[in-house]
Amino acid sequence: MSQAQARRIALAAQGFGAEHPARADQGHLRRTIERLALHQIDSVNVLARAHYFPAFSRLGNYDRTLLDTAAWGRKAERRLFEYWAHEASLLPLGLHPLLRWRMARADAGGAGWKSMRAFAGERRSEAEAILARIRAEGPLAASDFEEGKSSTGWWAWGPTKHALEFLFWAGHITTATRRRSFERVYDLTERVIPPRILALPTPPEAEAHRALIERAARAHGIATATDLRDYFRHKPAEASTAIATLAEEGVLIPVAVKGWSQQAWLHRDAKRPRRIRTAALLAPFDPLVWERDRAERLFNFRYRIEIYTPAEKRIHGYYVLPFLLDDRIVARVDLKADRQSSRLVAHRITLEPAAAAGTMERLTAELRRMADWLALDDVAIGSVV
């Protein structure tokens, strides 16, 4: 098939092309979450936190408290849990059994960052003491411990934070809530995850890999093995076996896409629209573009986030969102929510070669929609290049 056909399949699978609801409710949000299988979490808040954006890009203006309630509300209201999937992610509760193999692997010291693995072995007693304190006192954050989060930076963690993250990876604790600073507050998993989810049987590891790869294939519509493996961060051997099984079952159909050097896999239920009509600003961590090579294969769009690039070396800006118009990415916008002046500031708009007449008009309308969603009064546009 052509690149354009593959692109439309991918967009439809990701939920683009449908008209925005007049008023997005919990049902719309739930269906979007199920479609994508996860929302990546990131701490940067120059515009809004990353996990809020995928639903906005697909549904338009929606109440962010709906997502907060689903993720961190009362036990009976929860529909999501936090875990390491693509990266730190919010996932539907139904995926909990499919990730228990990763929790078990972490508990044995075989998953997670190297700095945490000592707590599965020689420093296990320290982790157990922290777990006992949470069991006795209730939900606690790293900063509630004497050696909590280091004052030298977000990633400059002390031993307590490493131990907490080991316990989190291993499934002993999970996120109870988030503080205003977005600091994670931990509690025992059985006090957070509803009993009906914990009672679900744990599938064999191979079956879990197969189910997760199938979810990734459904979310992508069409994808290479690398794309499928990346979605839930599978190792190559795990993904290859799962893909082969799904192909034998007819769930994945091998296809060739013109211009792609790798074999592509089409999910048997993927829609094949003849056209896509949409307009959406995409967060840097949106599953449509987070795998940068895939974005280039689908859209001829080379995208790199420049948050960690020194200011003088940035090409497009600090927090740059691609602008999807119909089935092409036609611009990139360096955005900031200036909350003090209640303005959405587009410092710089860079038009892509694919931008056609009318791009700025539709982009301006989408910026206005985003400003309304973020409760900002005005939109300020800087340079357009």
Side-chain angles (χ1 to χ4, degrees):
M1 65 176 64
S2 69
Q3 181 195 42
Q5 288 172 310
R7 187 164 59 239
R8 292 193 296 270
I9 289 169
L11 287 166
Q14 281 280 303
F16 293 103
E19 188 174 345
H20 289 171
R23 182 185 179 89
D25 57 23
Q26 188 65 261
H28 294 103
L29 179 61
R30 177 180 53 79
R31 287 188 288 275
T32 296
I33 290 167
E34 286 294 332
R35 177 190 295 275
L36 301 183
L38 61 87
H39 280 33
Q40 186 174 333
I41 298 169
D42 188 79
S43 61
V44 176
N45 196 28
V46 66
L47 189 58
R49 300 207 188 274
H51 57 279
Y52 292 118
F53 276 105
F56 170 73
S57 299
R58 291 153 179 81
L59 299 175
N61 197 333
Y62 78 100
D63 184 353
R64 281 174 286 168
T65 62
L66 294 175
L67 187 56
D68 291 337
T69 299
W72 302 296
R74 292 177 300 176
K75 196 170 184 177
E77 299 173 313
R78 286 182 185 249
R79 298 293 180 269
L80 303 169
F81 72 105
E82 284 191 38
Y83 194 60
W84 289 94
H86 181 75
E87 292 288 341
S89 304
L90 287 168
L91 302 109
L93 284 170
L95 294 189
H96 189 274
L98 300 182
L99 288 161
R100 290 175 191 162
W101 62 270
R102 184 169 286 165
M103 298 174 193
R105 192 175 291 180
D107 196 44
W113 300 299
K114 185 177 179 181
S115 58
M116 293 167 14
R117 295 183 183 184
F119 294 98
E122 63 266 27
R123 300 183 69 176
R124 185 83 184 209
S125 61
E126 297 174 53
E128 293 289 351
I130 289 170
L131 185 62
R133 182 172 166 185
I134 292 173
R135 182 176 291 111
E137 298 181 23
L140 294 171
S143 59
D144 294 322
F145 293 82
E146 189 174 344
E147 304 180 62
K149 191 173 123 186
S150 169
S151 61
T152 59
W154 182 263
W155 292 109
W157 291 349
T160 298
K161 177 62 175 175
H162 283 294
L164 284 165
E165 282 300 302
F166 158 71
L167 292 167
F168 180 85
W169 270 89
H172 299 296
I173 58 176
T174 190
T175 308
T177 189
R178 291 271 186 167
R179 290 183 175 166
R180 288 181 62 86
S181 63
F182 207 56
E183 184 182 16
R184 183 182 278 154
V185 179
Y186 305 89
D187 200 1
L188 301 181
T189 298
E190 59 266 31
R191 296 202 294 229
V192 175
I193 304 295
R196 61 182 175 81
I197 299 299
L198 295 179
L200 293 173
T202 300
E205 186 174 328
E207 185 179 321
H209 293 318
R210 176 197 169 283
L212 290 170
I213 292 292
E214 192 276 335
R215 288 297 293 263
R218 189 179 292 275
H220 275 319
I222 188 169
T224 66
T226 301
D227 300 333
L228 297 175
R229 184 170 74 239
D230 175 73
Y231 212 80
F232 289 100
R233 296 294 204 234
H234 279 91
K235 293 182 178 179
E238 297 165 345
S240 295
T241 301
I243 290 168
T245 301
L246 290 165
E248 289 174 7
E249 295 171 349
V251 177
L252 295 182
I253 302 167
V255 295
V257 179
K258 293 177 183 176
W260 290 20
S261 60
Q262 297 182 53
Q263 167 77 64
W265 296 97
L266 177 72
H267 194 285
R268 66 183 175 193
D269 296 333
K271 295 180 180 178
R272 306 186 192 190
R274 298 179 65 178
R275 63 180 299 182
I276 294 285
R277 290 284 292 172
T278 193
L281 287 157
L282 306 171
F285 308 104
D286 191 288
L288 184 66
V289 294
W290 69 29
E291 216 297 313
R292 309 310 188 198
D293 290 342
R294 176 176 169 81
E296 198 160 351
R297 271 184 275 115
L298 284 170
F299 299 101
N300 300 321
F301 179 74
R302 182 172 173 79
Y303 181 44
R304 300 293 183 272
I305 191 166
E306 298 181 84
I307 291 173
Y308 306 110
T309 303
E312 66 277 9
K313 294 184 178 180
R314 290 180 195 136
I315 299 172
H316 300 292
Y318 178 76
Y319 201 72
V320 175
L321 276 66
F323 178 52
L324 173 70
L325 185 58
D326 300 332
D327 69 344
R328 304 301 297 266
I329 293 178
V330 297
R332 53 187 97 204
V333 190
D334 182 19
L335 282 171
K336 177 181 179 179
D338 186 340
R339 296 173 180 90
Q340 188 170 359
S341 64
S342 193
R343 294 188 307 166
L344 177 64
V345 181
H347 293 295
R348 173 189 171 111
I349 296 173
T350 305
L351 297 176
E352 295 294 304
T359 293
M360 279 303 301
E361 182 180 356
R362 291 185 69 179
L363 174 55
T364 301
E366 199 60 24
L367 290 170
R368 181 67 262 171
R369 189 203 306 268
M370 178 175 283
D372 291 343
W373 177 58
L374 296 175
L376 301 171
D377 294 330
D378 296 310
V379 175
I381 296 177
S383 62
V384 180
V385 296

